Amino acid sequence: MKLSSIFILTVIVLSNTSCYKMRKSTGGAQIKTVQARQVSVADIALPKGYKIEPVSTGLTFPSAVTFDESGNLYVIETGYSYGEVFKSPKLLRLDRGGNTTTMATGTNNGPWTGVTFYQGNFYIAEGGALEGGRILRISMDGKITPLISNLPTIGDHHTNGPVIKEGYIYFGLGTATNSGIVGIDNAHYGWLLRQNKFHDIPCADITLTGKNFNTGNILTTEENDVVSTGAFSPFGTTTVSGQVIKGTCPCSGSILRIPVSGGNPEVVAWGFRNPYGLALSPAGKLFVTENAYDDRGSRPVWGAGDVLWEIKDGLWYGWPDYSAGKSIINDEEFHAPGKGKLEPLLAKYPNTPPKPTAIFAVHSSSNGFDFSKTSKFGYEGEAFVAQFGDMAPDVGKVMSPVGFKIVRVNVSNGVIQDFAVNRGYKNGPASQKKNGGLERPLSVKFDPAGTSLYVVDYGTIILKNHLQIPMEQTGMIWKITKDGL
Amino acid sequence: MTIYINRVTAIFICILLFEACALRRSEPLKGSFVPATSEIAKGQALYNLHCDKCHPDGEGGLGPDINWNPAPSFIKKMQVRHGLGVMPSFKENEISKEDLKAIGKYMKAYKHQKRE
């Protein structure tokens, strides 16, 4: 290439990079009109040698699948969706002929975020939007027994999981807030107007720096009423430097465990924002996906990728002052463009946070995952992760839709590669591309033989005036197998 | 608006000059990418650690798509070292000279290597 053309290209490239603030966000939920859900496997690309097919359609907010010991397939519907949409959570059996049988119906306390089958019973994580999180045991005849209740997850994030290992049920509790401070963004989620004293709770004693944040007072109708709010405190309550907040269990942003028969919870690890997906590797190690900070609220954090962590007992993983093992304090990588640098909320750290296994795309909402356990499916030992997709611009601005696909992670070197994506010039959900591909994959699960990967696709969500509008009966299950199997 | 036009022009020129600069180059769409050298493999892991969260698979996300970007690699390295616009800068204590070279090698290979 001639020198002059290098020069011209360089000028062009540089000239289109200085306009970030002027650019509009173009997220996957930023669409005006929604088509009826279509299904077309030709719209989805997979690596050579794999195929995808629909298994069940017309579900309302499905979140996870599991199998009983005879290999029957079950799905849960959350019963709650952001946007304050309350339905009944359900456990459904998907019969081979296409019929659906309701096994159990929960109360108005969704979202049911995860399910696992163990020794004749189902174990379900009930999010707890209205009454606090619970872990439920459901027998084959549909009897629901709570094993633990009142988990502190009535905020932004809920109770997630569960996974069963060596006689214990492991589950995740998400934080109340984005980054430690209750603010106006939490009223947009709905809960602050219902529960105005709720806030984050640490698992061990912490010492605060005493940083407070001013906002309008959304709890009064008075104009110009300003309140100041500190970390791990209710809306409108300030903190001072050196203040100690007592740790307790159950606590926010944690992985806890209880015996399979029920009993007191123990802290396994903490310092996560929203530990959503839990899964055991082929070697039996516990891994977790964490939904990272958003660019929203009183203490917005930019540039924070979702994380895959291997769980080491007893450690603190960095929330609210670290992202993926890196300090967010005073770092241009993490402060939102045009907003101030981040200051610490904690005066001391329980430990140096560990290094992540992999860092996913910012706002990809990397959620439920499972490990390939056999060479018959391929990519043995890799983690397959469902990416729900962005909620821009409410979580922050994006230049292209992020997520809306299945990726695979080599857990030994952190390399993430696409596995199932919608075709087209750009990435995005089917509703935006107006085709019949993937919408919002929320979790994946291998069948007991390990040869089929089931994908739970939550369905269509659009965003209007800060409100999420999820579409009922647009959820579905897909199945991915190798050709010839 | 002018900036938007520049971008379109750039992509147009890019398409004219390089057969390999599609926006999306991930495995399901273009075939599997196997690093040809250990340096490229190292660069791939480092790209995933430092860059992929904002430019997933070189596509757009929090940051712009960079797969199509025809700028010579010294310009890209300069962008990483000094940041530009809101792109964060990475100093030598975060990404060593050697590591940045490996990232550059990986990005080039990811763009141009023939796929199966």
Side-chain angles (χ1 to χ4, degrees):
Chain A
M1 196 168 32
K2 272 191 269 155
L3 254 178
S4 60
S5 53
I6 292 185
F7 177 76
I8 292 168
L9 286 176
T10 308
V11 168
I12 290 168
V13 168
L14 289 180
S15 69
N16 76 64
T17 54
S18 55
C19 54
Y20 181 84
K21 282 179 210 147
M22 284 160 59
R23 281 207 201 146
K24 279 209 190 98
S25 176
T26 49
Q30 296 180 267
I31 45 176
K32 292 204 179 74
T33 54
V34 197
Q35 61 177 19
R37 178 104 205 224
Q38 299 166 22
V39 178
S40 164
V41 297
D43 292 328
I44 302 170
L46 291 151
K48 219 161 132 189
Y50 291 85
K51 61 175 190 292
I52 186 163
E53 61 195 281
V55 173
S56 175
T57 58
L59 299 166
T60 294
F61 318 149
S63 58
V65 293
T66 193
F67 300 86
D68 66 16
E69 61 255 284
S70 322
N72 295 307
L73 175 65
Y74 299 82
V75 60
I76 52 171
E77 293 183 333
T78 60
Y80 171 81
S81 197
Y82 287 133
E84 296 289 80
V85 180
F86 287 93
K87 313 280 304 172
S88 295
K90 283 195 165 78
L91 171 65
L92 307 171
R93 189 177 67 223
L94 298 175
D95 300 323
R96 288 203 177 85
N99 286 340
T100 302
T101 311
T102 301
M103 303 286 295
T105 303
T107 57
N108 206 12
N109 192 38
W112 281 6
T113 52
V115 59
T116 191
F117 185 83
Y118 179 75
Q119 294 186 350
N121 290 296
F122 299 93
Y123 292 83
I124 286 181
E126 177 168 287
L130 285 187
E131 292 159 23
R134 302 197 291 177
I135 299 297
L136 307 175
R137 183 177 67 216
I138 303 185
S139 62
M140 287 309 262
D141 56 11
K143 187 166 169 276
I144 301 179
T145 311
L147 299 176
I148 184 168
S149 302
N150 295 319
L151 298 168
T153 52
I154 51 177
D156 286 3
H157 312 117
H158 303 113
T159 294
N160 309 311
V163 146
I164 296 181
K165 183 188 165 188
E166 291 159 5
Y168 284 93
I169 308 171
Y170 289 75
F171 51 98
L173 305 194
T175 53
T177 63
N178 179 41
S179 63
I181 309 294
V182 182
I184 290 174
D185 54 321
N186 306 113
H188 292 150
Y189 271 77
W191 67 263
L192 180 57
L193 304 175
R194 275 188 264 118
Q195 299 279 354
N196 60 25
K197 295 275 177 281
F198 189 61
H199 57 85
D200 290 302
I201 304 162
C203 294
D205 292 2
I206 50 167
T207 307
L208 300 179
T209 55
K211 178 97 183 110
N212 299 305
F213 296 79
N214 291 343
T215 59
N217 187 353
I218 195 137
L219 301 178
T220 62
T221 47
E222 234 172 275
E223 261 179 62
N224 306 326
D225 185 3
V226 171
V227 290
S228 190
T229 306
F232 293 86
S233 301
F235 187 64
T237 301
T238 53
T239 58
V240 294
S241 170
Q243 183 176 334
V244 173
I245 307 268
K246 280 262 161 242
T248 174
C249 177
C251 39
S252 312
S254 61
I255 305 292
L256 307 182
R257 68 175 197 178
I258 55 171
V260 172
S261 53
N264 286 335
E266 292 170 64
V267 177
V268 177
W270 65 297
F272 305 97
R273 181 173 168 282
N274 189 21
Y276 185 88
L278 281 74
L280 297 175
S281 72
K285 291 188 176 144
L286 181 63
F287 284 76
V288 169
T289 51
E290 178 191 16
N291 285 176
Y293 308 95
D294 292 335
D295 176 5
R296 68 168 157 96
S298 297
R299 188 173 177 256
V301 182
W302 188 76
D306 290 347
V307 186
L308 180 64
W309 295 107
E310 183 186 333
I311 299 305
K312 307 219 168 81
D313 284 6
L315 288 187
W316 172 77
Y317 278 71
W319 188 90
D321 282 352
Y322 281 75
S323 171
K326 211 171 175 184
S327 171
I328 61 173
I329 306 311
N330 258 327
D331 190 331
E332 61 179 359
E333 195 174 334
F334 297 104
H335 75 83
K339 298 176 192 163
K341 288 214 168 151
L342 288 151
E343 294 179 56
L345 297 183
L346 304 188
K348 292 195 279 254
Y349 298 126
N351 54 263
T352 304
K355 293 277 164 256
T357 299
I359 307 172
F360 300 103
V362 180
H363 304 317
S364 58
S365 194
S366 295
N367 293 334
F369 69 107
D370 200 3
F371 287 89
S372 171
K373 296 180 184 78
T374 157
S375 58
K376 283 191 199 140
F377 186 85
Y379 306 114
E380 202 177 341
E382 294 199 6
F384 286 73
V385 184
Q387 296 193 326
F388 190 72
D390 72 78
M391 279 295 171
D394 271 25
V395 295
K397 174 158 81 175
V398 294
M399 290 182 164
S400 287
V402 190
F404 311 99
K405 60 185 171 183
I406 311 298
V407 297
R408 59 183 179 88
V409 184
N410 180 337
V411 295
S412 62
N413 64 5
V415 171
I416 301 166
Q417 303 207 50
D418 284 356
F419 182 68
V421 294
N422 287 335
R423 291 183 191 280
Y425 171 71
K426 278 205 166 194
N427 183 37
S431 53
Q432 190 179 62
K433 302 178 82 67
K434 306 236 176 295
N435 71 18
L438 301 166
E439 195 64 53
R440 287 189 177 269
L442 180 52
S443 68
V444 296
K445 183 91 188 159
F446 281 99
D447 66 351
T451 49
S452 300
L453 181 68
Y454 285 77
V455 176
V456 182
D457 181 332
Y458 192 78
T460 312
I461 303 175
I462 58 168
L463 264 170
K464 267 198 183 131
N465 307 326
H466 293 301
L467 200 65
Q468 295 188 16
I469 306 175
M471 307 282 163
E472 290 177 30
Q473 292 174 20
T474 59
M476 64 178 290
I477 314 289
W478 306 86
K479 182 169 93 169
I480 301 175
T481 43
K482 250 185 156 167
D483 287 343
L485 273 180
Chain B
M1 194 59 196
T2 48
I3 284 147
Y4 175 71
I5 290 165
N6 275 348
R7 195 170 179 77
V8 172
T9 324
I11 291 173
F12 187 67
I13 293 174
C14 167
I15 288 164
L16 284 184
L17 293 180
F18 303 86
E19 75 291 344
C21 50
L23 292 185
R24 303 182 72 191
R25 302 197 54 76
S26 75
E27 178 172 8
L29 297 160
K30 292 279 168 186
S32 77
F33 173 78
V34 183
T37 67
S38 59
E39 192 186 17
I40 293 173
K42 181 179 151 195
Q44 183 181 34
L46 289 165
Y47 181 90
N48 274 268
L49 178 64
H50 296 295
C51 322
D52 193 76
K53 66 173 181 175
C54 297
H55 308 287
D57 261 313
E59 293 179 23
L62 190 72
D65 33 65
I66 54 176
N67 276 334
W68 66 274
N69 191 322
S73 71
F74 80 90
I75 295 280
K76 286 187 193 147
K77 281 187 200 156
M78 209 171 75
Q79 288 173 330
V80 173
R81 274 284 178 255
H82 302 285
L84 89 165
V86 300
M87 154 97 184
S89 64
F90 294 86
K91 302 290 179 237
E92 278 206 53
N93 59 358
E94 256 185 296
I95 302 181
S96 71
K97 215 168 160 179
E98 207 182 298
D99 286 358
L100 187 54
K101 200 169 138 228
I103 292 173
K105 284 258 163 74
Y106 158 72
M107 285 167 67
K108 202 163 172 185
Y110 194 72
K111 215 162 116 173
H112 294 294
Q113 192 171 300
K114 253 189 128 43
R115 306 288 186 89
E116 299 212 347

